[in-house]
Amino acid sequence: FQGDVADAFGRCDGWPVSLGLIGAGADAHLTPDDLVLDALEQLPPALRDALAELCVFELWDEMQSGELPLKLPADWLGTVRRAGLPLTPLGEGVFKPHAILRRALERELRRHPVRWVAAHRAAAMRSKRRGATLEAVEHHRQAGDLGAAFTLLRTVCERLMTSADYELIRQLLETWTFETLPDDLSAALAAAWIEVGEVTRGTAVLEALHSAGRATPLAYYLLGKEAARRGDYSAELQNAEAGLKSPVRDAGWRACERLKGWALVDLGRTDEATRYANELVSQAERHGEVHDLGAALLRLRCTRRSTHRRAWRCCATNWRICCVQAAIWTAHSSSSRRPSMG
């Protein structure tokens, strides 16, 4: 064999029969896909027709017949193995179908849209029962059930936001188009891009959401942060207040509360910032929200610290001015008392 071994292995997913075909140089006339199709034709017609639904599963076992809207005959898996189809045994009656087999079955299933949707919906339910959320998202996506897919994605992204795993959020969401993603997930993708260093891409999404009137609290929070970075504290406050007026209560809503407090401090409105922080503390106490109470108390403490720092800087500045003025006055007085040289 004179070709690329890695390429040959990849093309047939390590299937020995297919490797032998390629090694003998016969693949110019008979491809690995042809071998799979020929083996499929050896199956009983009922099994051959029903087998296409199984392309949605990465692993096969005899129990899967009860998880799909179809009836597989008894010992169907043994029949498939005896037909010579490429399956890797993993133990305990579980087999991994080679990619070349799944691709052939997928092409068959795609010719039947109703069956395609039903199979992926069944696979999504199975994935959710197993706790494989991301698998379930992909199956819902393939079935066209975007609402169900986005509901699961929100759960995952909220958890990843808490752990600040923005790289994984980026990987999950950037495979979707801006037109497809709901506004809150578009804002989450923008946040992920910004956090991993792709600021231009993230900012472009935020501006697009804002221009289209689709900005969520998270989008307003991120726009406010960007305004603060530029030193535009008025825009920082405007975005924070816009986010707090939104009827949406996403992860950015509480962040907008924090942003408003810092914006007031940045604008020098420290008394107002302190009153605002006290309001948040009282509100959290009334509702018994322990987490929010802790956050509000921390915010109040930071506001007071900032106020004290500003006051100290002001006093220090005034003291330096007084010292300069005193030095000038002393120099002037000494000059006026100095005897004339004339």
Side-chain angles (χ1 to χ4, degrees):
F1 178 63
Q2 302 298 319
D4 188 322
V5 175
D7 176 67
F9 192 90
R11 283 163 55 197
C12 61
D13 199 25
W15 186 22
V17 175
S18 183
L19 281 172
L21 177 74
I22 296 173
D27 58 315
H29 308 287
L30 188 65
T31 67
D33 291 309
D34 293 328
L35 291 178
V36 169
L37 293 174
D38 184 63
L40 286 170
E41 291 302 324
Q42 309 308 311
L43 297 174
L47 177 56
R48 169 70 182 84
D49 183 60
L51 201 62
E53 269 81 352
L54 291 180
C55 74
V56 300
F57 295 118
E58 292 187 3
L59 302 178
W60 291 0
D61 61 66
E62 286 282 354
M63 301 303 296
Q64 282 170 318
S65 59
E67 299 176 332
L68 288 168
L70 55 88
K71 181 65 176 178
L72 289 168
D75 193 35
W76 66 269
L77 194 49
T79 304
V80 168
R81 294 178 62 202
R82 288 189 292 272
L85 286 163
L87 300 173
T88 300
L90 301 179
E92 300 184 355
V94 178
F95 294 82
K96 179 179 176 60
H98 288 212
I100 192 171
L101 172 57
R102 291 184 66 198
R103 286 197 299 268
L105 295 174
E106 181 180 316
R107 287 193 296 269
E108 171 67 23
L109 188 60
R110 282 185 180 276
R111 289 197 284 267
H112 306 279
V114 174
R115 291 171 60 187
W116 172 269
V117 170
H120 275 290
R121 284 177 176 168
M125 294 298 295
R126 182 174 188 263
S127 296
K128 282 188 278 191
R129 286 195 297 270
R130 292 170 47 239
T133 305
L134 298 183
E135 279 184 16
V137 167
E138 186 56 31
H139 286 305
H140 280 307
R141 183 178 187 173
Q142 293 296 332
D145 298 333
L146 299 188
F150 294 146
T151 297
L152 292 176
L153 274 176
R154 286 188 184 96
T155 302
V156 174
C157 287
E158 286 174 5
R159 187 165 63 247
L160 294 175
M161 281 274 192
T162 302
S163 60
D165 195 343
Y166 293 103
E167 176 57 31
L168 187 50
I169 294 174
R170 181 190 67 79
Q171 293 175 22
L172 288 176
L173 298 181
E174 71 177 6
T175 59
W176 301 77
T177 64
F178 174 71
E179 293 74 21
T180 304
L181 277 178
D183 301 339
D184 57 333
L185 291 177
S186 292
L189 176 57
W193 272 333
I194 290 171
E195 291 294 336
V196 301
E198 298 186 53
V199 178
T200 302
R201 294 181 74 185
T203 304
V205 170
L206 295 175
E207 290 174 349
L209 286 171
H210 188 266
S211 299
R214 295 168 47 194
T216 64
L218 179 57
Y220 280 119
Y221 168 70
L222 295 169
L223 287 167
K225 277 184 63 178
E226 176 62 19
R229 189 187 65 80
R230 299 192 311 267
D232 189 349
Y233 303 129
S234 295
E236 179 188 16
L237 180 59
Q238 289 170 6
N239 280 292
E241 291 179 334
L244 291 172
K245 290 176 183 176
S246 172
V248 178
R249 291 294 186 271
D250 65 6
W253 198 83
R254 293 296 186 194
C256 283
E257 285 188 333
R258 296 193 300 273
L259 186 67
K260 179 178 177 179
W262 287 119
L264 290 171
V265 172
D266 290 335
L267 288 167
R269 294 156 59 175
T270 49
D271 289 342
E272 189 176 347
T274 303
R275 286 196 300 272
Y276 176 66
N278 277 316
E279 288 172 11
L280 295 179
V281 171
S282 300
Q283 178 180 306
E285 287 176 333
R286 283 196 305 273
H287 295 105
E289 297 168 337
V290 178
H291 179 272
D292 291 342
L293 176 59
L297 287 169
L298 178 61
R299 195 172 304 123
L300 176 60
R301 182 179 179 185
C302 291
T303 301
R304 286 174 173 169
R305 275 187 176 180
S306 180
T307 303
H308 294 159
R309 283 197 300 269
R310 284 177 179 273
W312 175 253
R313 285 198 299 269
C314 183
C315 290
T317 301
N318 289 337
W319 174 253
R320 285 194 295 271
I321 292 171
C322 289
C323 289
V324 171
Q325 288 176 335
I328 293 173
W329 182 82
T330 301
H332 178 72
S333 298
S334 299
S335 174
S336 63
R337 289 195 300 268
R338 189 176 301 151
S340 173
M341 299 298 292

Coordinates of all heavy atoms in Angstrom, one line a residue, residues 10-16 36 40 43 51-62 64 68 76-77 80-81 84-91 93-106 126 139:
G10 N -9.0 6.7 8.3 CA -10.1 7.6 8.6 C -11.3 7.4 7.7 O -12.5 7.5 8.1
R11 N -11.0 7.1 6.4 CA -12.1 6.9 5.4 C -13.0 5.7 5.8 O -14.2 5.8 5.5 CB -11.5 6.7 4.0 CG -11.1 8.0 3.4 CD -10.1 7.7 2.2 NE -10.8 6.9 1.2 CZ -10.1 6.2 0.3 NH1 -8.7 6.3 0.3 NH2 -10.7 5.4 -0.5
C12 N -12.4 4.7 6.4 CA -13.2 3.5 6.6 C -13.4 3.3 8.1 O -13.9 2.2 8.6 CB -12.6 2.3 6.0 SG -10.9 1.9 6.6
D13 N -13.0 4.3 9.0 CA -13.2 4.2 10.4 C -12.6 2.9 11.0 O -13.1 2.4 12.0 CB -14.7 4.3 10.7 CG -15.0 4.7 12.2 OD1 -14.1 5.3 12.8 OD2 -16.0 4.3 12.7
G14 N -11.5 2.5 10.4 CA -10.8 1.3 10.9 C -11.4 0.0 10.7 O -11.0 -1.0 11.2
W15 N -12.4 -0.1 9.8 CA -13.1 -1.3 9.5 C -12.1 -2.3 8.7 O -11.7 -1.9 7.6 CB -14.3 -1.0 8.6 CG -15.2 -2.2 8.3 CD1 -15.3 -3.4 9.0 CD2 -16.1 -2.3 7.3 NE1 -16.2 -4.2 8.5 CE2 -16.8 -3.6 7.4 CE3 -16.5 -1.5 6.2 CZ2 -17.7 -4.0 6.5 CZ3 -17.5 -1.9 5.3 CH2 -18.1 -3.2 5.5
P16 N -11.8 -3.4 9.3 CA -10.7 -4.3 8.6 C -11.1 -4.7 7.2 O -10.2 -4.7 6.3 CB -10.7 -5.5 9.6 CG -11.2 -5.0 10.9 CD -12.2 -4.0 10.6
V36 N -20.7 -1.5 2.6 CA -21.7 -1.3 3.6 C -23.1 -1.5 3.0 O -23.9 -2.3 3.5 CB -21.6 0.1 4.3 CG1 -22.9 0.3 5.1 CG2 -20.4 0.2 5.1
L40 N -25.9 -4.4 3.9 CA -27.2 -4.0 4.3 C -28.3 -4.7 3.5 O -29.3 -5.1 4.0 CB -27.4 -2.5 4.2 CG -26.8 -1.6 5.2 CD1 -26.9 -0.1 4.9 CD2 -27.4 -1.8 6.6
L43 N -29.6 -8.1 4.7 CA -30.5 -8.2 5.9 C -32.0 -8.5 5.4 O -32.4 -8.2 4.3 CB -30.5 -6.9 6.6 CG -29.2 -6.5 7.3 CD1 -29.3 -5.1 7.8 CD2 -28.7 -7.4 8.3
L51 N -33.7 -0.4 10.3 CA -32.4 -0.1 10.8 C -32.0 1.4 10.7 O -31.2 1.9 11.4 CB -31.4 -1.0 10.2 CG -30.1 -1.2 10.9 CD1 -30.3 -1.9 12.2 CD2 -29.1 -2.1 10.0
A52 N -32.6 2.1 9.7 CA -32.1 3.4 9.4 C -32.3 4.3 10.6 O -31.5 5.2 10.9 CB -32.9 4.0 8.2
E53 N -33.4 4.1 11.4 CA -33.6 5.0 12.6 C -32.5 4.9 13.6 O -32.2 5.9 14.4 CB -34.9 4.6 13.3 CG -36.1 5.3 12.8 CD -36.7 4.8 11.6 OE1 -36.1 3.9 10.9 OE2 -37.8 5.2 11.2
L54 N -31.7 3.8 13.6 CA -30.6 3.7 14.6 C -29.4 4.5 14.3 O -28.5 4.6 15.1 CB -30.2 2.2 14.7 CG -31.2 1.2 15.3 CD1 -30.7 -0.2 15.3 CD2 -31.6 1.7 16.7
C55 N -29.4 5.2 13.2 CA -28.3 6.1 12.9 C -28.2 7.3 13.9 O -27.1 7.9 14.0 CB -28.4 6.7 11.4 SG -29.6 7.9 11.2
V56 N -29.3 7.5 14.6 CA -29.3 8.7 15.5 C -28.5 8.3 16.8 O -28.3 9.2 17.7 CB -30.7 9.2 15.9 CG1 -31.4 9.6 14.6 CG2 -31.5 8.1 16.5
F57 N -28.2 7.0 17.0 CA -27.6 6.6 18.2 C -26.1 6.2 18.0 O -25.8 5.6 17.0 CB -28.2 5.3 18.8 CG -29.6 5.5 19.3 CD1 -30.7 4.9 18.7 CD2 -29.9 6.4 20.3 CE1 -32.0 5.1 19.1 CE2 -31.2 6.6 20.7 CZ -32.3 6.0 20.1
E58 N -25.2 6.7 18.9 CA -23.8 6.4 18.8 C -23.5 5.0 19.2 O -22.5 4.4 18.8 CB -23.0 7.4 19.6 CG -23.0 8.8 19.0 CD -22.0 9.7 19.7 OE1 -21.3 9.2 20.6 OE2 -22.0 10.9 19.4
L59 N -24.3 4.4 20.1 CA -24.1 3.1 20.6 C -25.4 2.3 20.4 O -26.5 2.8 20.5 CB -23.7 3.1 22.1 CG -22.5 3.9 22.5 CD1 -22.3 3.9 24.0 CD2 -21.2 3.3 21.8
W60 N -25.2 1.0 20.1 CA -26.4 0.1 19.9 C -26.4 -1.0 20.9 O -25.3 -1.6 21.3 CB -26.3 -0.5 18.5 CG -26.5 0.4 17.4 CD1 -26.7 1.8 17.5 CD2 -26.5 0.1 16.0 NE1 -26.9 2.3 16.2 CE2 -26.7 1.3 15.3 CE3 -26.3 -1.1 15.3 CZ2 -26.8 1.4 13.9 CZ3 -26.3 -1.0 13.9 CH2 -26.6 0.2 13.2
D61 N -27.6 -1.4 21.3 CA -27.8 -2.6 22.1 C -29.2 -3.1 21.9 O -30.0 -2.4 21.3 CB -27.6 -2.3 23.6 CG -28.6 -1.3 24.2 OD1 -29.8 -1.6 24.2 OD2 -28.1 -0.2 24.6
E62 N -29.5 -4.3 22.3 CA -30.8 -4.9 22.0 C -32.0 -4.2 22.6 O -33.1 -4.2 22.1 CB -30.8 -6.4 22.5 CG -30.0 -7.4 21.7 CD -30.6 -7.8 20.4 OE1 -31.8 -7.4 20.2 OE2 -30.0 -8.5 19.6
Q64 N -32.6 -1.0 22.6 CA -33.0 0.2 22.0 C -34.3 0.1 21.2 O -34.9 1.1 20.8 CB -31.9 0.7 21.1 CG -30.8 1.4 21.8 CD -29.6 1.6 21.0 OE1 -29.2 0.8 20.2 NE2 -29.0 2.8 21.1
L68 N -37.6 3.6 20.3 CA -37.9 4.2 19.1 C -39.3 3.8 18.6 O -39.9 2.8 19.0 CB -36.9 3.7 18.0 CG -35.5 4.2 18.2 CD1 -34.5 3.4 17.3 CD2 -35.4 5.7 17.8
W76 N -32.1 -8.8 16.6 CA -31.8 -8.0 15.4 C -30.3 -7.6 15.4 O -29.7 -7.6 14.3 CB -32.6 -6.7 15.4 CG -32.4 -5.8 16.6 CD1 -33.0 -5.7 17.8 CD2 -31.4 -4.7 16.6 NE1 -32.4 -4.8 18.6 CE2 -31.4 -4.1 17.9 CE3 -30.4 -4.3 15.7 CZ2 -30.6 -3.1 18.3 CZ3 -29.6 -3.2 16.1 CH2 -29.7 -2.6 17.3
L77 N -29.7 -7.4 16.6 CA -28.3 -7.0 16.6 C -27.4 -8.2 16.2 O -26.4 -8.0 15.5 CB -28.0 -6.6 18.1 CG -26.6 -5.8 18.2 CD1 -26.5 -4.7 17.2 CD2 -26.6 -5.3 19.7
V80 N -27.5 -8.4 12.5 CA -26.7 -7.3 11.9 C -25.2 -7.7 11.9 O -24.5 -7.5 10.9 CB -26.9 -6.0 12.6 CG1 -25.9 -4.9 12.2 CG2 -28.3 -5.4 12.3
R81 N -24.8 -8.3 13.0 CA -23.4 -8.7 13.2 C -23.0 -9.8 12.2 O -22.0 -9.8 11.6 CB -23.1 -9.1 14.6 CG -23.2 -8.0 15.6 CD -23.0 -8.5 17.0 NE -21.6 -9.1 17.2 CZ -21.3 -10.0 18.1 NH1 -22.2 -10.4 18.9 NH2 -20.0 -10.4 18.1
G84 N -22.0 -9.0 8.7 CA -20.7 -8.4 8.5 C -20.6 -6.9 8.5 O -19.6 -6.3 8.1
L85 N -21.7 -6.3 9.0 CA -21.7 -4.8 9.1 C -20.7 -4.4 10.2 O -20.5 -5.1 11.2 CB -23.1 -4.3 9.4 CG -24.0 -4.4 8.2 CD1 -25.4 -4.2 8.6 CD2 -23.6 -3.3 7.2
P86 N -20.0 -3.2 10.0 CA -18.9 -2.8 10.9 C -19.4 -2.3 12.3 O -20.0 -1.2 12.4 CB -18.2 -1.7 10.1 CG -19.3 -1.1 9.2 CD -20.2 -2.3 8.9
L87 N -19.3 -3.1 13.3 CA -19.6 -2.8 14.7 C -18.4 -3.2 15.6 O -17.8 -4.2 15.4 CB -20.8 -3.6 15.1 CG -22.2 -3.5 14.3 CD1 -23.2 -4.5 14.8 CD2 -22.7 -2.1 14.5
T88 N -18.2 -2.3 16.5 CA -17.1 -2.5 17.5 C -17.7 -2.9 18.8 O -18.5 -2.2 19.4 CB -16.2 -1.3 17.7 OG1 -15.6 -0.9 16.4 CG2 -15.1 -1.5 18.7
P89 N -17.4 -4.1 19.3 CA -18.0 -4.6 20.6 C -17.3 -3.8 21.8 O -16.1 -3.7 21.8 CB -17.6 -6.1 20.7 CG -16.4 -6.2 19.8 CD -16.6 -5.2 18.7
L90 N -18.2 -3.3 22.7 CA -17.7 -2.6 23.8 C -17.9 -3.3 25.1 O -17.6 -2.8 26.2 CB -18.4 -1.2 23.9 CG -18.2 -0.3 22.7 CD1 -18.9 1.0 22.9 CD2 -16.7 0.0 22.5
G91 N -18.5 -4.5 25.1 CA -18.8 -5.3 26.3 C -20.2 -5.1 26.8 O -20.9 -4.1 26.5
G93 N -22.9 -6.4 25.9 CA -24.0 -6.4 24.8 C -24.1 -5.0 24.1 O -25.1 -4.8 23.4
V94 N -23.1 -4.1 24.3 CA -23.1 -2.8 23.7 C -22.1 -2.8 22.5 O -21.0 -3.3 22.7 CB -22.8 -1.7 24.7 CG1 -22.8 -0.3 24.0 CG2 -23.8 -1.7 25.8
F95 N -22.6 -2.2 21.4 CA -21.7 -2.1 20.2 C -21.7 -0.7 19.7 O -22.7 0.0 19.8 CB -22.2 -3.1 19.1 CG -22.1 -4.5 19.5 CD1 -23.0 -5.2 20.3 CD2 -21.0 -5.3 19.0 CE1 -22.9 -6.5 20.6 CE2 -20.9 -6.6 19.4 CZ -21.8 -7.2 20.2
K96 N -20.6 -0.3 19.1 CA -20.4 1.0 18.5 C -20.4 0.8 17.0 O -19.5 0.3 16.4 CB -19.1 1.7 18.9 CG -18.9 3.1 18.3 CD -17.6 3.7 18.8 CE -17.4 5.0 18.1 NZ -18.4 6.0 18.4
P97 N -21.5 1.3 16.3 CA -21.5 1.2 14.8 C -20.4 2.2 14.2 O -20.3 3.3 14.7 CB -22.9 1.7 14.4 CG -23.3 2.5 15.6 CD -22.7 2.0 16.8
H98 N -19.7 1.7 13.3 CA -18.7 2.6 12.6 C -19.3 3.8 11.9 O -20.5 3.7 11.5 CB -17.8 1.8 11.6 CG -16.9 0.8 12.3 ND1 -15.7 0.5 11.8 CD2 -17.0 0.1 13.5 CE1 -15.1 -0.4 12.6 NE2 -15.9 -0.6 13.6
A99 N -18.6 4.8 11.8 CA -19.1 6.0 11.2 C -19.6 5.8 9.8 O -20.6 6.4 9.3 CB -18.1 7.2 11.2
I100 N -18.9 4.9 9.1 CA -19.3 4.6 7.7 C -20.7 4.0 7.6 O -21.4 4.3 6.7 CB -18.2 3.7 7.0 CG1 -18.4 3.7 5.5 CG2 -18.2 2.3 7.6 CD1 -17.2 3.0 4.8
L101 N -21.0 3.2 8.6 CA -22.3 2.6 8.6 C -23.4 3.6 9.0 O -24.5 3.6 8.4 CB -22.4 1.4 9.6 CG -23.7 0.8 10.0 CD1 -24.4 0.3 8.7 CD2 -23.6 -0.4 11.0
R102 N -23.1 4.4 10.0 CA -24.1 5.4 10.4 C -24.4 6.4 9.3 O -25.5 6.9 9.1 CB -23.6 6.2 11.6 CG -23.6 5.3 12.9 CD -23.2 6.1 14.1 NE -24.2 7.1 14.4 CZ -24.0 8.1 15.2 NH1 -22.8 8.3 15.8 NH2 -24.9 9.0 15.5
R103 N -23.3 6.8 8.5 CA -23.5 7.7 7.4 C -24.5 7.1 6.3 O -25.3 7.8 5.8 CB -22.2 8.1 6.8 CG -21.3 9.0 7.6 CD -20.3 9.6 6.7 NE -19.3 8.6 6.2 CZ -18.2 8.2 6.8 NH1 -17.9 8.8 8.0 NH2 -17.4 7.3 6.2
A104 N -24.3 5.8 6.0 CA -25.1 5.2 5.1 C -26.6 5.1 5.5 O -27.5 5.4 4.7 CB -24.6 3.7 4.8
L105 N -26.8 4.8 6.8 CA -28.2 4.8 7.4 C -28.8 6.2 7.4 O -30.0 6.4 7.2 CB -28.1 4.2 8.8 CG -27.7 2.7 8.8 CD1 -27.6 2.2 10.2 CD2 -28.7 1.8 8.0
E106 N -27.9 7.2 7.7 CA -28.4 8.6 7.8 C -28.9 9.0 6.4 O -30.0 9.7 6.3 CB -27.3 9.5 8.3 CG -27.8 11.0 8.4 CD -26.7 11.9 8.9 OE1 -26.0 11.5 9.9 OE2 -26.5 13.0 8.3
R126 N -34.2 10.1 25.2 CA -33.2 9.1 25.8 C -32.0 9.9 26.3 O -31.5 9.6 27.4 CB -32.8 8.1 24.7 CG -31.8 7.0 25.2 CD -31.6 6.0 24.2 NE -30.8 4.9 24.6 CZ -29.5 4.7 24.5 NH1 -28.8 5.6 23.9 NH2 -28.9 3.6 25.0
H139 N -30.0 16.6 19.1 CA -31.1 15.8 18.6 C -32.4 16.7 18.3 O -33.0 16.6 17.3 CB -31.5 14.7 19.5 CG -30.5 13.5 19.4 ND1 -30.2 12.9 18.2 CD2 -29.8 12.9 20.4 CE1 -29.3 12.0 18.5 NE2 -29.0 12.0 19.8

